[in-house]
Amino acid sequence: MTTKNDMLIGESQQIGPLQVWPLKWEGLVPQSYQVPPFLEKLKFDEIEDEDGPTVDWIQVHNPTNEPFLIPSGWIIAADLWQERTVNSVEYIEAHSTVGISVSCVEKSRWRQEFNLPDGGRAPFSVIAAGWEFDSVAGYWKMNRETRQSKVWQQVSKQESRTGERPTNSLRQVMEEDSRASTIHQTILNLTKSKLRVHHEQNGILIALDGQPLVTEFFSIPRAIGQTVKQTLRAASFDATSLESRPISRSEVEKFLNEIRGENRFEIDSEEWGSVFAGGTNLIDTRITCGLDERVMHLTALNRNHRVLLEV
């Protein structure tokens, strides 16, 4: 690996149309938390008001002795009235029950039904839908008036490739297309056979169509190993061909330097720590920190990527 400030950048790996760059942020101090898959450790329930369950909030109960960090876009397919995707990264303390902000990704069901809790990660075009850059605040904000409709537009776009499902379930679309589509099957097979995750790697940058798409860091290296396959699977649903268009190391360094140079604004404060946002009209960054201000997690989306420009 070569160093750029305190970022180590490994040799890229080509996984079909996805170029995967292993990263190590030396300044991240390992911390203790769990990440998906949930393995039925977390319990999910609807939050009800006088009209019944709410669409955009659900309740999460963590009965375990360790906190849980749920990355943005993770699909929760438990025995809820409809499947949801997490709007932003969520940190769930040990032995706690909290409400989290979600969007529906199964719009034609409104009844309780049993599913395995973990639905994997949504495509980044779904994750990015319904957010707008606030030039005064200096970061991207979710537009609650348009977020859900924008998500449904992206789910419909994913579903249109292979036909409508009875409940328009994004989880079902991704499960079935992962087995049937040449693009997704190729990426999944290459992920299994070629992807290498370094022992101390705590970050990843994924490029698609000759542009950085997303970078993500966890303060515990094993979290990358546990989530990377689902993250690559999610990115595969934004690919339209198997053509490889790699980027250079200098482009990776430029993207990382842009993230590091952003201003940070605290947007949420909890008993366990704080969430910060930053970026420009081209980059959307979220950082989760503990009470000691150490970074636990960072994601940065390239909003200038062609697959995100019109979401």
Side-chain angles (χ1 to χ4, degrees):
M1 286 188 167
T2 59
T3 184
K4 183 68 174 178
N5 298 322
D6 63 346
M7 294 281 189
L8 300 179
I9 304 172
E11 294 298 323
S12 67
Q13 303 165 56
Q14 199 68 44
I15 308 295
L18 305 177
Q19 189 185 26
V20 182
W21 291 84
L23 306 173
K24 181 183 178 183
W25 184 355
E26 291 192 304
L28 288 191
V29 178
Q31 299 170 62
S32 178
Y33 54 79
Q34 297 289 321
V35 295
F38 304 122
L39 301 176
E40 299 185 349
K41 293 179 180 178
L42 300 183
K43 307 299 180 184
F44 302 96
D45 293 301
E46 299 287 357
I47 293 178
E48 298 195 24
D49 57 22
E50 62 274 10
D51 298 320
T54 59
V55 173
D56 55 349
W57 288 90
I58 62 170
Q59 185 170 267
V60 185
H61 176 54
N62 179 8
T64 73
N65 294 323
E66 279 197 279
F68 237 96
L69 190 147
I70 308 174
S72 60
W74 219 269
I75 298 171
I76 297 170
D79 49 349
L80 301 170
W81 285 45
Q82 53 185 195
E83 295 160 5
R84 314 301 214 288
T85 184
V86 178
N87 288 331
S88 299
V89 62
E90 295 284 353
Y91 184 79
I92 317 296
E93 290 188 273
H95 300 289
S96 69
T97 299
V98 296
I100 64 171
S101 175
V102 294
S103 296
C104 169
V105 287
E106 186 191 21
K107 67 178 179 179
S108 296
R109 175 172 69 93
W110 192 238
R111 63 183 183 278
Q112 191 171 35
E113 185 176 284
F114 174 77
N115 289 296
L116 294 176
D118 195 328
R121 200 170 200 170
F124 287 97
S125 54
V126 175
I127 295 173
W131 293 72
E132 299 171 357
F133 183 67
D134 186 326
S135 59
V136 176
Y139 58 89
W140 287 77
K141 292 182 176 181
M142 186 176 69
N143 185 332
R144 292 195 173 275
E145 293 183 359
T146 63
R147 163 66 177 173
Q148 185 59 71
S149 63
K150 295 281 189 178
V151 167
W152 279 335
Q153 288 175 18
Q154 295 304 315
V155 171
S156 296
K157 184 177 178 181
Q158 295 290 336
E159 188 178 31
S160 66
R161 287 191 304 262
T162 48
E164 188 170 335
R165 273 63 171 186
T167 64
N168 309 108
S169 163
L170 177 62
R171 174 187 58 84
Q172 183 182 1
V173 170
M174 295 179 71
E175 287 178 355
E176 293 175 353
D177 287 9
S178 290
R179 295 189 295 267
S181 166
T182 301
I183 293 176
H184 310 314
Q185 192 63 56
T186 299
I187 291 173
L188 291 177
N189 289 339
L190 289 172
T191 298
K192 292 177 183 178
S193 63
K194 291 185 61 178
L195 183 69
R196 301 181 307 280
V197 178
H198 300 281
H199 176 63
E200 295 184 346
Q201 175 185 344
N202 58 18
I204 190 172
L205 183 144
I206 300 172
L208 171 66
D209 294 341
Q211 291 180 278
L213 175 61
V214 62
T215 191
E216 186 163 38
F217 288 94
F218 294 88
S219 62
I220 46 174
R222 64 173 171 79
I224 283 288
Q226 288 177 241
T227 61
V228 66
K229 291 182 179 179
Q230 282 294 338
T231 301
L232 291 178
R233 175 174 174 261
S236 77
F237 280 84
D238 290 317
T240 56
S241 76
L242 287 171
E243 180 184 359
S244 300
R245 296 175 58 191
I247 63 174
S248 66
R249 184 180 298 270
S250 63
E251 291 174 277
V252 174
E253 292 175 351
K254 179 182 178 182
F255 189 72
L256 294 175
N257 285 336
E258 287 176 353
I259 295 168
R260 292 159 63 83
E262 295 169 349
N263 292 322
R264 305 279 190 251
F265 304 92
E266 185 176 309
I267 60 172
D268 192 20
S269 180
E270 303 287 348
E271 292 182 0
W272 52 263
S274 301
V275 178
F276 295 81
T280 64
N281 63 332
L282 303 180
I283 299 176
D284 178 5
T285 303
R286 290 289 187 279
I287 303 174
T288 304
C289 297
L291 284 175
D292 54 8
E293 298 185 352
R294 293 185 301 178
V295 173
M296 291 189 287
H297 179 264
L298 178 150
T299 55
L301 276 177
N302 178 13
R303 292 279 183 167
N304 194 43
H305 197 287
R306 66 154 189 86
V307 303
L308 305 183
L309 285 176
E310 298 180 1
V311 301

